[in-house]
Amino acid sequence: MPEQEKDKVILVGVETEENFAIFDTSMDELRGLTKTADGEIVFILKQKRPQVDRQTILGKGKLAELKQLIDAYEANLVIFNHELTPRQGKILTEELGVRVLDRVQLILDIFAIRARSKEGKLQVSLAQLEYLLPRLTGMGASMSRLGGGIGTRGPGETKLEVDRRHIRNKITQIRNELKEVEQHRERTREQRKNKRVYQIGLIGYTNAGKSTIMNILTTANTYEQDQLFATLDPLTKKWRLPEGFEMTITDTVGFIQDLPTQLIDAFQSTLEESKSMDFLLHVVDAHAKDRLLHEKTVFDLMQQLEIIDTPVLTVYNKADLMKEEDFVPTLFPNVCISAKSSKGKEALIQAIKQQLMEQFEPYMVELADNQASEIYKYKRETIVTSQNYDESKRKYIICGFSPK
């Protein structure tokens, strides 16, 4: 089969009084998202206005300029850095004569590429269908189009009829399937809790390096790329400290500013994984120029998900890309590392151990000779800091820290 040509894309953004503080960051992100979705960016069109035009986002002059740019660059796709209303999408498609997407559809499309598990695929389909439902008018061409173009994966590939009732039925069916998957996930979660397995969750802005950290700690070989949303499905692996304490680490989907509401709703069960964790590693790209915005986005989403009481260690990653004196941490407790170096791995393990010991309760136990086999249990379920044998008492004396 011949390789499908990349879509030639023009990106469009309007800087307003409302979004000016994050406008440049947001446009950079849109560029990254488009590249992740394998689009070829041929031009980026920006406009400053007090507010977006209610019908066409752009003013008349800029809209005319956009039409000329589409012809000049032979673009076949325009992506707006705004969520378009059904009416705006329809008007713009008719005016421009090419496919028009918005930021939300682009993110949904990337999620469709990245989904690997049954649950991930179902959640993406649900989000796409709920987004499409009010936008069905005039979407016949793009919905029946087969293949890998941006914004056409998922429901488009199954040639869904443009029929509201059919889509509503499909939404109900997916929701029912998801309920079953969620119940299974809940059972697994309960089993881990009943076995008293200590659970660590990785959270952070997309592309901060969560999967890299998962890999250096557990050799899980998760998909690790300099791309937005490289990880979509949560992955849980066993991990143990050098002293023997066993726990699980779960890698989760990356957060992003303006994460579409549909995705927060659809991925609720996946994000719920973070809620059930005993401890969180918040991975931050220390080198990112908008680091503070990334940190704020993650904390806002954590509040939305009601994950505010779980202890957090901030892992400032990618320290190798900057000078030490240029970096001022804003979140505490923290550790600053390069996940790619062996020193970074050691520093991270020590920082995690230190934080766990601060949260755990110190203990000391004495075990008789015939209880020696218990030592292994203590090493597996607690952090053992010392183990001695008292000849006079003929007892093992174990000291350490135990989860509360």
Side-chain angles (χ1 to χ4, degrees):
M1 267 181 72
E3 199 178 307
Q4 189 156 347
E5 278 187 37
K6 288 186 177 185
D7 282 303
K8 289 188 174 179
V9 187
I10 293 176
L11 304 183
V12 180
V14 177
E15 183 181 334
T16 65
E17 291 166 358
E18 203 177 312
N19 71 11
F20 76 95
I22 60 162
F23 179 73
D24 289 334
T25 312
S26 190
M27 286 302 289
D28 284 346
E29 238 167 42
L30 188 70
R31 190 186 293 122
L33 289 165
T34 306
K35 285 179 180 169
T36 298
D38 215 23
E40 182 192 337
I41 299 164
V42 293
F43 198 87
I44 297 173
L45 183 67
K46 297 177 183 177
Q47 183 177 30
K48 275 189 185 181
R49 288 173 61 92
Q51 58 195 52
V52 297
D53 184 280
R54 281 192 301 184
Q55 288 199 312
T56 55
I57 304 290
L58 294 164
K60 278 183 185 167
K62 274 288 177 201
L63 194 64
E65 187 184 334
L66 178 55
K67 284 183 193 174
Q68 290 170 348
L69 289 166
I70 289 167
D71 289 341
Y73 287 95
E74 297 180 342
N76 62 338
L77 179 61
V78 175
I79 303 177
F80 281 81
N81 195 28
H82 309 267
E83 182 170 348
L84 302 176
T85 65
R87 182 166 165 71
Q88 285 167 340
K90 187 171 184 291
I91 291 170
L92 284 164
T93 304
E94 287 168 0
E95 282 274 346
L96 300 173
V98 293
R99 284 189 304 133
V100 172
L101 290 188
D102 63 13
R103 184 187 178 91
V104 177
Q105 283 168 288
L106 180 59
I107 292 173
L108 287 173
D109 191 55
I110 292 166
F111 271 48
I113 308 165
R114 295 276 174 265
R116 293 286 176 269
S117 69
K118 180 187 176 186
E119 182 180 22
K121 287 173 181 171
L122 285 170
Q123 286 172 325
V124 173
S125 292
L126 179 62
Q128 286 179 314
L129 289 167
E130 288 185 331
Y131 191 76
L132 283 175
L133 194 56
R135 294 169 169 80
L136 289 176
T137 320
M139 289 198 71
S142 64
M143 283 190 71
S144 62
R145 177 173 173 244
L146 276 170
I150 300 180
T152 61
R153 297 171 180 91
E157 291 183 0
T158 56
K159 292 189 177 181
L160 283 172
E161 308 147 38
V162 186
D163 171 14
R164 288 176 197 280
R165 189 171 50 203
H166 178 75
I167 290 187
R168 282 200 188 99
N169 290 343
K170 188 82 181 156
I171 286 172
T172 307
Q173 182 192 329
I174 291 174
R175 281 211 176 111
N176 290 337
E177 283 185 64
L178 272 172
K179 261 193 196 125
E180 287 174 30
V181 181
E182 280 165 30
Q183 282 162 2
H184 174 71
R185 184 189 286 284
E186 186 58 44
R187 285 195 295 273
T188 310
R189 208 181 283 153
E190 282 303 313
Q191 281 167 3
R192 287 206 297 258
K193 274 224 165 83
N194 294 338
K195 285 181 186 168
R196 292 185 63 203
V197 177
Y198 194 82
Q199 299 174 73
I200 292 181
L202 286 163
I203 59 163
Y205 207 78
T206 182
N207 207 25
K210 294 187 302 301
S211 295
T212 309
I213 282 169
M214 179 85 165
N215 285 340
I216 63 164
L217 290 176
T218 67
T219 59
N221 296 322
T222 58
Y223 184 71
E224 186 189 309
Q225 276 292 325
D226 183 20
Q227 287 183 329
L228 300 176
F229 299 121
T231 301
L232 176 57
D233 297 307
L235 174 78
T236 299
K237 285 279 175 182
K238 276 187 183 172
W239 179 56
R240 66 160 63 101
L241 286 175
E243 292 78 11
F245 177 53
E246 286 185 357
M247 61 205 104
T248 60
I249 299 190
T250 300
D251 189 7
T252 56
V253 61
F255 296 170
I256 193 168
Q257 59 170 317
D258 303 327
L259 188 68
T261 324
Q262 294 86 345
L263 281 175
I264 295 174
D265 293 344
F267 283 82
Q268 197 67 35
S269 69
T270 308
L271 295 166
E272 288 276 332
E273 285 284 316
S274 305
K275 284 176 83 167
S276 66
M277 297 296 146
D278 299 299
F279 182 62
L280 293 170
L281 295 179
H282 172 199
V283 185
V284 177
D285 178 351
H287 184 62
K289 64 177 188 200
D290 297 296
R291 190 190 93 216
L292 298 180
L293 180 64
H294 292 184
E295 290 174 357
K296 183 181 181 303
T297 302
V298 171
F299 273 99
D300 288 349
L301 268 165
M302 281 173 73
Q303 283 195 309
Q304 206 172 326
L305 293 164
E306 296 172 3
I307 317 170
I308 39 179
D309 297 325
T310 311
V312 179
L313 170 67
T314 298
V315 182
Y316 285 112
N317 187 27
K318 308 189 187 180
D320 53 312
L321 300 176
M322 61 191 183
K323 292 176 184 164
E324 207 173 314
E325 60 271 19
D326 294 343
F327 179 69
V328 181
T330 39
L331 300 173
F332 299 88
N334 67 61
V335 59
C336 191
I337 64 158
S338 165
K340 299 282 185 186
S341 74
S342 55
K343 274 186 187 172
K345 179 179 178 177
E346 279 311 306
L348 176 59
I349 290 171
Q350 284 310 310
I352 293 171
K353 184 178 151 188
Q354 185 61 42
Q355 285 307 306
L356 295 183
M357 281 161 55
E358 285 179 23
Q359 290 157 40
F360 290 4
E361 287 176 341
Y363 73 87
M364 187 193 85
V365 292
E366 294 183 352
L367 299 173
D369 278 353
N370 61 358
Q371 292 178 294
S373 59
E374 289 282 297
I375 296 171
Y376 175 67
K377 185 172 180 279
Y378 277 96
K379 283 187 173 176
R380 201 178 65 236
E381 294 177 4
T382 73
I383 298 174
V384 173
T385 51
S386 70
Q387 171 194 330
N388 297 300
Y389 185 70
D390 187 323
E391 292 281 357
S392 59
K393 290 183 179 178
R394 298 189 66 176
K395 283 186 176 178
Y396 293 96
I397 297 165
I398 312 243
C399 295
F401 294 84
S402 171
K404 291 176 182 175

